[in-house]
Amino acid sequence: MSLVAKYLQPEVVRQIRRLDLRAQCIVKGFFQGLHRSPFHGFSVEFSEHRKYTPGDDPKDIDWIVYAKTEKYYVKKFEAETNITGYLTLDLSRSMGYTYRQEVTKWEYAVSLAAALCYLMIQQQDPVGLFAFDEKVRTSLRPKSKRTQLGDVLSILARAQPTGRTDVAASLTQIAGMLRHASLVMLFSDLLGQPEPILQALYRLRHRGHDVIVFHILDEAEVRFPFDGLVELEEPETGQWVEVDASDFRHAYLEQMEKFRDTLRRECARAKIDYVPLDTSMPFDRALSEYLINRSQRS
Amino acid sequence: MTFLNASLLAGTVLVAVPILLHLLLRRRPRRVEFPAVQFVQERQVPQQRRLRIRHWLLLALRVGVIALLSLGLARPSVIFSGDWALEEEPVAAALIFDTSLRMEYRHENQTRLERAKELGLWLLAELPQQSEVAVLSSRAAPAAFEVDRASARERIRRLEPSADSQPLPAAISRALDLLEQSEKRLREIYIFTDLARAAWPRETLPTLRSQLEKTLGLSVYLVDVGVPEPKDFALGTLELPRQILSSRGTLVVQTHVESIGLAGACTVQLEMEEQDPATGRRRWQKREEKVCQLQPGQAEQVVFRLRGLGTGIHQGQVRIVGGDALPGSDVRYFTIAVKPPWHLLLAAPTAPHLVPSFVTEALAPREFRLTGQARYECRLIPQEELAQSDLAGYAALMLLDPKPLEDALWQKLAGYVADGHGLAICLGRNAQPIDSFLTPAAQSLLPGPLQMQARRPDFDTFLAPADRQHPILAEFRRLSGTVPWDAFPVLCYWQLGQLAKGVNVVVSYSDGRPALLERPVGKGRVLTLTTPLTDDTNHEPWNLLPVGDAWPYLILVNEMAAYLVGAAERQLNYTVGQMVVLQLEGAGGRRSYVVTAPDGMTFTAQTEGAAGPLVLSPPPLPGNYRVQASGSPDGGFSLNLPPEQTRLDRLGPEELNDLLGLRNVRLARSRQEINRHVSLGRVGQELFPLLIALVACLWAAELLVANRFYKDEPKERKGTR
């Protein structure tokens, strides 16, 4: 089975092909330009003036303003082009976890990323890739060629979620690597302290990137299906705790809900899309629902 | 605490197993990979504490189950009395039956003794084989183990109520002595009692308690066969002011009727035993009847008066008409002797201050003399005529404030007294000169030498009888505390020197000096009063005894006379258990008598000497006894039950606690209770059921806790793939 067939099954394609991924705020022309001029590159649409500083391209000087004010101002233009999407996947070991032994979080994330990659390529939008654990391990320049999907999946198929993770540091690193405002699609379980992660997301957002957080958890992490006395071992650090799961379920679910609520609330405040998912949810349906919802909001 | 299978206690070492398992081989919880541990850790600390507590709880439950199981299998028992034994181990048992007449109380058509015997026979059959058994009653009989059960059974069957019962502590004491001789390890005393207070005198309980406490291996079972609320009319003690009466006197019989739990009319009859002239047989003749209306707990006095009895011995009974539950309390017997009037000779010098009529009127008041009721025929003579008088016809002689007498007269009087007569010497101001009363002849009758006239002009000296046991003081005994002696002061009296041997002070003055003294001389007695009875109050009297409402004076004079003639101290009525001592008249040296008991049985009895009294060991049967010898008038006496023998009031809770407070004493009322208590006493309280129940509870708790701890593990370990 080819990688595309493995991660992007025909029924999934069928499900999402009629949908699109709309930018919310950064790239206004994303949607409009989706079909009109997908290959125009930079737009010439005026955005704002700023004072000329040495080093600026002299051809950008607005001479009309000079004539009126005798000061040099440079015209800024917003790119009116297709959004560049970056699929940003968490490669940490915890992403390889599955309780039911069916789909790991990683596999779930890859499938989801593949679908989105396909969707964007279909829309002529370039798609790039970052995979990180404690730092960015793999990256792929964004392209909108049809071969890009195969390249992306090829890289993801080779990658194995094995290391420890540092989502915040990785996102900060990625933010530094992005030149233009892009659509950053983060696929992670976000296990760790929420504050640094949120800070990193804010930073991305502050730089003008559109951010979608696909918070992928295992079914067991959401439902805590254990009973009796169990020793829970953290796969990345090897730490374990002994608990009476029956007694603990309620407390755990409370904690988990609190965590997701925090993320949901903070992301909403920063106008970041937060999509909570777990591996028991059919991702194509979850994705469809999200995209429809996003479309309605925009 | 004791154990039936003490070796199984070794099983308690198995408690080490769960401890070792807990410490060494503790079951590990299944390890599961779980990335979201961070959320668990935040809430882990309190839960870990709970977990640790549960671990220890589980360990404690498991240790408890094993410990209790091995303890339970060892069959522990709590022993309340002495040593532990198997239930069928032979015992030394004493069965004590209260056989007092009170046990004749009939309830549900069964006397208490019948009920006791029924339970006793059943209990006898229940005793372990090879047990030693003694059957005791409350009669004072030696205790011994029966040869076999058949003889014990027969002895129980033959038990009869008896009037000479002793309080039960005495029988228990005998039983303890007997059980001490037994080699059996277990000793048991079964007391079949109605728990009447009379059977358990309060003063005996401390001694009994210490005896029971000291005896090792002893269990005491009080089998209560009594009725909680008895109902009965009961007669009290019969009181006879005089047992020797003058034929002119009046028989006074008094008692009281008490109701115990009954309300209504109670008829009481006085019946005299008379001989049927036609058949010659003796029969009861009703003479008087009284009806009392009583409420529960109420008592009423009944007094019968009877006149016109001929001389001789008379026997009678007072009884409650109609039967009730306890016949023993319904009848009281009495015997009286009626004699012709006693002849008294009174000698007094002629003197203006001396009024002999004080004494003669006290002994035979004019009204009585006129109506023929006077008990005494008194003859007053001048002292000067005494020497010529024939004294033989007089039962007693009284010298009233005598002047000095010739030695010959003293000797004559001594002879008269020695023959069995009475002499009273009432000393006064005429007893001068003193020397004439100090002669050996005078001193042979007087209690001691006259020393001086003690004057007490302050009206602060009076007669003060201290010990009222003397027959002369019998009447005053009944009036205890109410005689106003201080209203009759003594202003002067003769102070005596060293008293002669055998002299008894009957009454003293309030200053402690002797007033009335008794001296036995030969068969007779001499009473000496150190102050006169005849002083005229207008002539500087030595005392004011006869002045005013002088009823104590009348009683004193009459009692002195009765004592002198022998009517005061003769006893014809006894209670069961008392030694009977009869001074029979006209014995004439006869030594053998036939005594007829109330049930018609006769036996012979001998006097101690030719003129000695007839002494009978305590006869057991209450009723009237006749004593006969050919050629002499009949004698007789009566025996009554001590009233406490028919008192049905039961021990109060406090007294019962005194008894039952002991750990080895138990109270039972039925066969089931006896069985239970005996089982408790021998084996103790088995803790097995309790322990097994506890084991079950602990086990259930252990399962519950363990199940919550260790749910079934999934067959496949899950985690990161």
Side-chain angles (χ1 to χ4, degrees):
Chain A
M1 186 189 289
S2 74
L3 288 173
V4 174
K6 181 181 175 187
Y7 292 111
L8 194 63
Q9 292 162 2
E11 57 272 22
V12 175
V13 172
R14 265 201 307 278
Q15 179 77 20
I16 63 169
R17 70 184 310 160
R18 55 191 176 83
L19 300 174
D20 52 22
L21 188 64
R22 302 177 182 205
Q24 292 226 43
C25 52
I26 303 172
V27 185
K28 290 176 181 168
F30 174 67
F31 182 66
Q32 288 88 345
L34 191 62
H35 302 291
R36 284 182 308 195
S37 56
F39 302 108
H40 284 189
F42 289 100
S43 165
V44 290
E45 191 168 320
F46 173 76
S47 173
E48 60 181 348
H49 286 99
R50 70 171 171 79
K51 281 190 173 180
Y52 172 78
T53 52
D56 283 342
D57 193 343
K59 68 179 180 186
D60 289 340
I61 296 173
D62 190 336
W63 296 109
I64 296 170
V65 175
Y66 175 75
K68 289 179 180 174
T69 61
E70 292 185 347
K71 289 180 182 175
Y72 295 109
Y73 279 87
V74 179
K75 285 199 280 186
K76 288 280 288 177
F77 297 93
E78 279 188 359
E80 190 188 356
T81 180
N82 297 336
I83 184 73
T84 304
Y86 285 97
L87 301 167
T88 309
L89 283 90
D90 184 354
L91 253 181
S92 66
R93 184 174 169 174
S94 64
M95 288 295 285
Y97 175 73
T98 171
Y99 175 70
R100 285 185 179 275
Q101 303 293 305
E102 288 171 359
V103 180
T104 65
K105 291 187 275 184
W106 173 254
E107 287 165 345
Y108 192 88
V110 169
S111 299
L112 199 56
L116 286 166
C117 183
Y118 169 80
L119 182 62
M120 290 191 76
I121 288 170
Q122 282 293 103
Q123 293 171 177
Q124 311 286 324
D125 289 328
V127 181
L129 173 71
F130 290 110
F132 66 88
D133 45 29
E134 287 178 301
K135 58 183 181 181
V136 175
R137 296 290 179 195
T138 312
S139 64
L140 184 68
R141 290 173 65 82
K143 288 180 185 170
S144 55
K145 290 181 181 175
R146 292 194 177 271
T147 54
Q148 182 71 350
L149 178 61
D151 295 343
V152 167
L153 292 180
S154 167
I155 290 171
L156 293 179
R158 280 201 305 274
Q160 285 300 318
T162 51
R164 297 171 69 109
T165 186
D166 188 344
V167 178
S170 302
L171 288 180
T172 307
Q173 190 187 2
I174 288 167
M177 294 167 75
L178 298 179
R179 285 196 203 157
H180 305 291
S182 310
L183 174 62
V184 179
M185 291 164 280
L186 176 63
F187 303 88
S188 171
D189 54 13
L190 298 178
L191 294 178
Q193 291 304 310
E195 288 80 14
I197 296 172
L198 285 168
Q199 289 299 323
L201 289 172
Y202 294 156
R203 206 168 292 123
L204 270 178
R205 192 69 191 88
H206 185 68
R207 294 197 176 193
H209 303 294
D210 194 359
V211 182
I212 303 172
V213 176
F214 292 97
H215 187 199
I216 301 167
L217 291 170
D218 189 72
E219 179 192 2
E221 290 170 329
V222 175
R223 306 229 167 94
F224 203 72
F226 310 108
D227 272 323
L229 198 63
V230 288
E231 239 177 37
L232 301 174
E233 184 183 3
E234 212 284 325
E236 289 179 22
T237 60
Q239 285 182 333
W240 57 270
V241 291
E242 187 181 310
V243 291
D244 178 3
S246 313
D247 265 10
F248 205 75
R249 182 177 295 110
H250 182 68
Y252 172 85
L253 293 178
E254 259 185 14
Q255 284 295 108
M256 174 55 78
E257 194 53 38
K258 191 175 157 191
F259 177 64
R260 290 171 105 179
D261 271 350
T262 306
L263 291 175
R264 187 182 292 116
R265 190 174 59 251
E266 294 302 317
C267 286
R269 216 168 61 178
K271 297 191 174 168
I272 296 171
D273 274 2
Y274 174 73
V275 187
L277 297 168
D278 72 71
T279 53
S280 66
M281 300 164 73
F283 74 89
D284 48 345
R285 198 180 307 160
L287 184 60
S288 303
E289 281 173 12
Y290 164 67
L291 290 175
I292 291 166
N293 189 28
R294 184 181 168 96
S295 158
Q296 286 170 349
R297 273 188 283 133
S298 64
Chain B
M1 182 180 288
T2 58
F3 298 91
L4 194 59
N5 307 315
S7 58
L8 289 181
L9 277 178
T12 48
V13 298
L14 291 175
V15 298
V17 173
I19 296 172
L20 286 174
L21 287 176
H22 183 83
L23 297 177
L24 303 177
L25 305 170
R26 192 173 137 195
R27 185 177 169 186
R28 305 295 304 177
R30 60 198 167 97
R31 183 164 283 200
V32 177
E33 227 177 48
F34 190 67
V37 165
Q38 68 178 84
F39 304 113
V40 179
Q41 281 172 327
E42 287 168 17
R43 291 285 191 96
Q44 184 205 12
V45 175
Q47 219 251 358
Q48 280 292 92
R49 201 175 298 130
R50 275 206 305 277
L51 262 182
R52 204 170 297 122
I53 292 170
R54 275 199 207 163
H55 272 304
W56 286 114
L57 175 68
L58 194 61
L59 176 64
L61 287 171
R62 286 169 178 171
V63 167
V65 166
I66 292 176
L68 283 177
L69 198 59
S70 52
L71 194 67
L73 290 174
R75 300 278 302 275
S77 306
V78 178
I79 302 294
F80 300 104
S81 60
D83 216 349
W84 167 83
L86 287 173
E87 199 159 357
E88 289 306 316
E89 182 174 332
V91 299
L95 278 59
I96 302 174
F97 292 84
D98 186 347
T99 52
S100 64
L101 290 178
R102 201 178 44 251
M103 294 290 280
E104 282 189 311
Y105 184 86
R106 189 169 285 276
H107 179 67
E108 293 175 350
N109 206 27
Q110 194 177 36
T111 68
R112 298 304 84 206
L113 186 58
E114 285 167 357
R115 168 76 178 148
K117 284 158 76 172
E118 179 188 311
L119 282 174
L121 288 169
W122 166 79
L123 183 68
L124 189 65
E126 294 288 312
L127 286 175
Q129 295 296 321
Q130 311 300 324
S131 292
E132 291 177 322
V133 184
V135 178
L136 290 84
S137 71
S138 47
R139 293 183 67 181
F145 286 114
E146 300 297 330
V147 178
D148 55 18
R149 280 201 198 196
S151 64
R153 209 159 30 241
E154 194 54 33
R155 184 175 280 269
I156 292 174
R157 286 199 181 109
R158 284 186 186 170
L159 287 171
E160 290 293 337
S162 83
D164 57 345
S165 287
Q166 292 183 325
L168 284 170
I172 295 170
S173 189
R174 291 200 307 278
L176 285 172
D177 291 343
L178 179 67
L179 294 180
E180 285 285 321
Q181 299 164 16
S182 170
E183 292 178 352
K184 296 278 188 282
R185 208 158 53 92
L186 285 184
R187 292 148 192 189
E188 296 174 346
I189 295 181
Y190 298 88
I191 307 163
F192 298 87
T193 169
D194 58 356
L195 285 180
R197 186 173 277 123
W200 302 92
R202 201 181 178 88
E203 63 276 10
T204 62
L205 293 184
T207 316
L208 175 66
R209 197 184 159 95
S210 64
Q211 275 182 318
L212 294 178
E213 267 178 332
K214 270 190 266 177
T215 311
L216 290 176
L218 176 71
S219 296
V220 180
Y221 305 98
L222 289 178
V223 183
D224 180 13
V225 294
V227 177
E229 291 178 355
K231 292 178 170 50
D232 186 39
F233 285 124
L235 287 173
T237 312
L238 216 57
E239 291 178 26
L240 297 163
R242 296 238 176 270
Q243 297 179 37
I244 312 290
L245 288 177
S246 154
S247 57
R248 295 174 182 173
T250 302
L251 167 66
V252 179
V253 180
Q254 62 186 40
T255 183
H256 64 269
V257 193
E258 187 181 357
S259 163
I260 299 158
L262 285 174
C266 175
T267 306
V268 186
Q269 280 184 357
L270 173 72
E271 295 173 346
M272 298 301 292
E273 201 173 4
E274 292 174 359
Q275 196 162 21
D276 188 343
T279 62
R281 289 187 177 177
R282 303 189 70 79
R283 63 178 185 187
W284 293 108
Q285 185 69 39
K286 184 176 93 174
R287 301 297 289 268
E288 203 174 341
E289 184 177 276
K290 305 265 184 191
V291 178
C292 306
Q293 288 293 337
L294 295 169
Q295 294 300 317
Q298 194 183 11
E300 190 173 319
Q301 194 171 46
V302 183
V303 182
F304 296 102
R305 294 174 194 280
L306 208 60
R307 285 179 49 81
L309 294 170
T311 56
I313 294 291
H314 293 268
Q315 295 186 312
Q317 66 179 16
V318 176
R319 72 177 182 92
I320 293 172
V321 179
D324 59 16
L326 182 60
S329 65
D330 293 350
V331 62
R332 299 284 182 263
Y333 305 95
F334 63 90
T335 298
I336 53 158
V338 177
K339 297 199 168 188
W342 288 281
H343 292 270
L344 296 181
L345 183 63
L346 292 86
T350 309
H353 68 273
L354 203 146
V355 188
S357 59
F358 285 169
V359 177
T360 56
E361 284 301 310
L363 292 172
R366 184 169 177 275
E367 188 182 344
F368 281 20
R369 289 200 305 273
L370 293 175
T371 56
Q373 293 182 47
R375 297 167 67 199
Y376 302 103
E377 290 278 359
C378 297
R379 183 182 169 216
L380 179 65
I381 59 168
Q383 185 179 331
E384 297 75 26
E385 293 178 12
L386 188 58
Q388 293 80 39
S389 298
D390 180 14
L391 303 179
Y394 299 100
L397 166 65
M398 297 182 89
L399 296 177
L400 304 174
D401 196 0
K403 287 184 175 176
L405 276 69
E406 298 291 330
D407 277 356
L409 187 52
W410 280 119
Q411 286 162 2
K412 178 183 176 184
L413 293 178
Y416 168 76
V417 174
D419 283 345
H421 297 99
L423 169 65
I425 306 169
C426 304
L427 299 170
R429 68 190 73 195
N430 290 325
Q432 298 189 77
I434 291 178
D435 293 344
S436 60
F437 286 86
L438 298 179
T439 61
Q443 285 299 308
S444 67
L445 292 174
L446 288 168
L450 277 61
Q451 284 187 328
M452 56 181 282
Q453 293 176 4
R455 299 196 174 274
R456 299 287 184 267
D458 297 333
F459 293 77
D460 58 352
T461 304
F462 46 86
L463 295 178
D467 178 14
R468 298 190 180 90
Q469 297 308 310
H470 198 277
I472 292 176
L473 302 173
E475 278 297 302
F476 295 118
R477 205 181 307 144
R478 290 197 301 114
L479 304 165
S480 173
T482 61
V483 183
W485 287 112
D486 54 348
F488 307 99
V490 175
L491 307 173
C492 189
Y493 62 85
W494 280 103
Q495 192 173 312
L496 301 178
Q498 180 70 39
L499 298 180
K501 195 178 175 186
V503 171
N504 176 32
V505 178
V506 181
V507 181
S508 298
Y509 294 110
S510 55
D511 60 6
R513 303 236 178 236
L516 180 62
L517 304 98
E518 174 195 18
R519 181 176 184 179
V521 176
K523 294 180 188 173
R525 62 199 65 166
V526 180
L527 287 176
T528 304
L529 188 64
T530 57
T531 192
L533 292 170
T534 49
D535 263 14
D536 185 356
T537 51
N538 298 320
H539 291 82
E540 295 182 1
W542 276 35
N543 59 62
L544 301 179
L545 288 171
V547 178
D549 187 10
W551 58 267
Y553 172 85
L554 290 174
I555 294 174
L556 181 65
V557 171
N558 271 276
E559 292 303 313
M560 283 173 66
Y563 185 64
L564 288 173
V565 300
E569 88 283 30
R570 277 185 63 185
Q571 189 177 354
L572 300 173
N573 296 279
Y574 298 84
T575 53
V576 173
Q578 278 186 317
M579 189 79 80
V580 176
V581 182
L582 290 176
Q583 194 69 49
L584 294 164
E585 292 179 0
R590 195 173 293 105
R591 301 179 65 159
S592 183
Y593 289 88
V594 176
V595 181
T596 307
D599 57 359
M601 301 292 284
T602 58
F603 58 92
T604 56
Q606 312 283 330
T607 56
E608 287 181 349
L614 182 69
V615 179
L616 301 173
S617 57
L621 202 58
N624 293 328
Y625 289 76
R626 293 197 76 79
V627 182
Q628 293 166 301
S630 58
S632 68
D634 287 356
F637 63 94
S638 293
L639 278 182
N640 277 305
L641 288 173
E644 63 269 15
Q645 277 232 20
T646 52
R647 288 197 67 84
L648 292 169
D649 47 332
R650 285 159 61 87
L651 284 177
E654 196 180 316
E655 291 150 317
L656 208 54
N657 272 345
D658 273 356
L659 266 180
L660 298 177
L662 294 175
R663 61 189 173 81
N664 57 344
V665 180
R666 295 181 188 83
L667 179 67
R669 291 189 171 84
S670 61
R671 292 182 183 188
Q672 291 79 8
E673 284 186 6
I674 296 172
N675 263 336
R676 191 168 68 245
H677 289 320
V678 169
S679 179
L680 271 178
R682 288 186 197 153
V683 184
Q685 175 71 57
E686 272 253 38
L687 299 179
F688 181 74
L690 180 69
L691 289 175
I692 290 303
L694 269 177
V695 165
C697 291
L698 287 185
W699 208 333
E702 192 271 342
L703 282 174
L704 199 69
V705 175
N707 276 341
R708 282 181 66 85
F709 266 27
Y710 307 114
K711 297 272 185 185
D712 286 341
E713 275 190 66
K715 287 176 184 159
E716 194 181 346
R717 183 183 165 88
K718 297 176 179 177
T720 310
R721 199 166 61 188

